[in-house]
Amino acid sequence: MITLSHVLQPASPGSTAVVIPDGPSVSYRDLASEIERVAGLLAAAGVQRGRAVSIVLPNGLEFMTVFLAVARAGAIAAPLNSAYTDDEFKFYMEDANSQLAILPPGPHEARTAAAQLGIPVMEAALDNRGRVMLLRDGYALSSSRDPAPPSPDDVALFLHTSGTTSRPKGVPLRHANLMASLRNIKDTYGLTPDDVTLIVMPLFHVHGLLGAALSTLNSGGTVVVPPKFSASAFWPVQKATRSTWYSAVPTVHQVLLQRADDDGAPRQSFRFIRSCSSALAPATFEKLEARFGAPALEAYGMTEASHQMSSNLLPPGARVPGTVGAGTGVEIGIFDMDKPGQLLATGQRGEVVIKGPNVMRGYNNNPKANADSFVNGWFRTGDQGFLDAQGYLTLTGRIKELINRGGEKISPLEVDAVLLQHPAVAEAVSFAVA
């Protein structure tokens, strides 16, 4: 059970795997059949094993099916943000050496970019029975060939780092990396077939894809996939689907809190609420638990680690505001920033480093970045933080974003947290100014 071909783990094949609000619901049996059928179409159409397929689809059944079908066919799924510009699409497609782009019908910047790069295009759409059609030049594919299954060591997912401080780096993640991460997430939150996750994050990113959607499918639960996050539709969908948890960035949590009374949000809602991808201020943590009546669990993830590295725990385990919890199947250490490779003692601040089966082996075609990022078997995250006596990690900022005031290193996250304690402050961000 160590490739994405084994990700579906239903308690019963007839149980519901995916729910599309105002759209179809799909059982595990039917989803598995669709994945095999679409993988066969891709194989017969000449999709090569071990090469990337750019997937530019919004959240929905088409994305879920196509993503898993590409992986099942032995190719590399390379999902991209539909909102990218023409130049961005060209960069990401070219850097991934994409052999094919799969897009929604109609005009799209990605279509223009693919044409300029000479990359073939297919369209994915649902037919009137809720099945995924793959179209090329306006004609639905029908020929099929049974693809050989992928191996754990094959690359399954190709993403890029954000590139806020440098050129985005390609991150190849293997099937074994992804399955290790899914096991960690399932174990951390005790996911079962009774769980229903409401997707609010985009599926082209590891947070929504691994942190919520695939981890739930791997537990036999149900994934509710609206086309995009809508604050006004959030609580009606949650009530209609009896969703038991969701995962989001702090900005989404803040929007839901600001609208809670006007939207008639319940006082008792989810089994738990997960926060990741950005620091959750203690003030927001307290408001989430008080207003929505559910434990708020802050986690720590990054693309290079197939998403999750640490998390606070469900009751009766500890959840400590301002921390991202303890390692979840991942070993966490702190390097001396002046002497990379030298581990610091408990309570000392330095660079957060990690080890684990979910961590990538190295960036794509980037030996310098790999030499800088891996030291003595540890991956350097670029984040500053410290561990307490219980092994809980507190992040104090990105190393490159620390504010240097007369030689004193100040964490912008700590300044943000203080500002957000004031009742008149809804959002805060601090940064260095010369």
Side-chain angles (χ1 to χ4, degrees):
M1 299 298 184
I2 46 176
T3 77
L4 289 182
S5 296
H6 310 105
V7 75
L8 304 184
Q9 292 294 308
S12 165
S15 60
T16 302
V18 179
V19 173
I20 308 297
D22 300 321
S25 295
V26 181
S27 70
Y28 272 90
R29 180 188 297 109
D30 290 343
L31 180 59
S33 175
E34 276 288 273
I35 292 166
E36 286 295 319
R37 183 182 65 82
V38 175
L41 295 176
L42 291 169
V47 168
Q48 299 175 33
R49 298 173 60 83
R51 288 194 60 195
V53 174
S54 295
I55 302 172
V56 190
L57 296 171
N59 283 14
L61 187 57
E62 299 96 321
F63 182 98
M64 298 292 297
T65 304
V66 167
F67 175 85
L68 290 170
V70 168
R72 167 65 184 88
I76 301 168
L80 296 172
N81 185 347
S82 296
Y84 282 151
T85 63
D86 176 30
D87 286 342
E88 287 173 320
F89 278 121
K90 282 193 289 188
F91 168 78
Y92 290 119
M93 289 180 182
E94 191 169 33
D95 197 59
N97 189 27
S98 290
Q99 61 177 316
L100 173 70
I102 301 180
L103 317 175
H108 202 286
E109 293 280 354
R111 189 182 302 275
T112 304
Q116 292 173 347
L117 295 171
I119 297 173
V121 169
M122 286 184 190
E123 297 175 351
L126 296 183
D127 65 16
N128 54 16
R129 294 180 295 170
R131 292 174 19 128
V132 173
M133 295 186 298
L134 288 182
L135 302 102
R136 186 165 53 189
D137 300 325
Y139 295 95
L141 302 184
S142 57
S143 298
S144 182
R145 180 169 64 83
D146 187 26
S151 73
D153 207 38
D154 291 340
V155 175
L157 176 61
F158 188 86
L159 297 169
H160 284 84
T161 56
S162 62
T164 53
T165 56
S166 61
R167 176 186 171 92
K169 297 186 286 288
V171 180
L173 296 170
R174 300 171 190 276
H175 285 267
N177 295 144
L178 303 181
M179 295 304 289
S181 185
L182 296 182
R183 286 193 298 272
N184 292 341
I185 295 166
K186 283 191 308 177
D187 291 346
T188 301
Y189 305 113
L191 299 182
T192 74
D194 294 329
D195 278 303
V196 180
T197 185
L198 177 51
I199 301 296
V200 299
M201 299 299 294
L203 294 174
F204 61 77
H205 188 267
V206 286
H207 185 162
L209 181 62
L210 294 166
L214 295 185
S215 58
T216 297
L217 290 177
N218 198 229
S219 71
T222 300
V223 181
V224 179
V225 189
K228 60 182 179 179
F229 170 65
S230 167
S232 61
F234 182 86
W235 293 109
V237 170
Q238 190 263 341
K239 181 179 180 182
T241 59
R242 299 181 179 179
S243 297
T244 60
W245 70 285
Y246 78 99
S247 184
V249 292
T251 302
V252 169
H253 299 312
Q254 290 168 343
V255 169
L256 293 173
L257 283 168
Q258 289 164 7
R259 298 174 52 108
D261 292 339
D262 291 341
D263 289 346
R267 293 284 174 181
Q268 298 291 324
S269 55
F270 297 93
R271 183 166 75 85
F272 67 94
I273 294 169
R274 182 176 182 269
S275 187
C276 196
S277 299
S278 184
L280 181 70
T284 306
F285 164 90
E286 292 165 3
K287 291 174 185 176
L288 274 176
E289 294 208 339
R291 181 60 184 84
F292 300 143
L297 308 178
E298 185 173 6
Y300 176 38
M302 65 189 309
T303 304
E304 291 92 333
S306 309
H307 188 49
Q308 184 167 292
M309 298 178 285
S310 70
S311 180
N312 280 268
L313 302 178
L314 286 162
R319 55 192 193 283
V320 182
T323 80
V324 291
T328 53
V330 180
E331 190 176 353
I332 298 177
I334 306 294
F335 270 3
D336 186 325
M337 291 195 293
D338 295 324
K339 300 175 183 176
Q342 182 172 315
L343 291 168
L344 296 177
T346 297
Q348 291 185 287
R349 291 192 185 201
E351 182 174 10
V352 179
V353 293
I354 56 170
K355 284 182 182 178
N358 55 314
V359 180
M360 67 166 190
R361 290 183 180 172
Y363 294 108
N364 186 57
N365 295 327
N366 200 329
K368 183 181 185 307
N370 291 332
D372 291 342
S373 298
F374 290 91
V375 177
N376 299 341
W378 293 92
F379 175 73
R380 301 172 62 185
T381 65
D383 290 322
Q384 185 196 60
F386 62 91
L387 292 165
D388 67 14
Q390 285 70 47
Y392 271 48
L393 175 65
T394 298
L395 297 175
T396 52
R398 291 290 294 171
I399 290 171
K400 292 181 180 179
E401 295 172 359
L402 292 177
I403 299 166
N404 186 339
R405 182 179 181 271
E408 179 187 4
K409 301 300 189 294
I410 298 170
S411 163
L413 295 181
E414 293 178 343
V415 180
D416 296 347
V418 173
L419 292 170
L420 286 167
Q421 292 175 7
H422 196 289
V425 176
E427 296 182 69
V429 61
S430 58
F431 49 89
V433 175

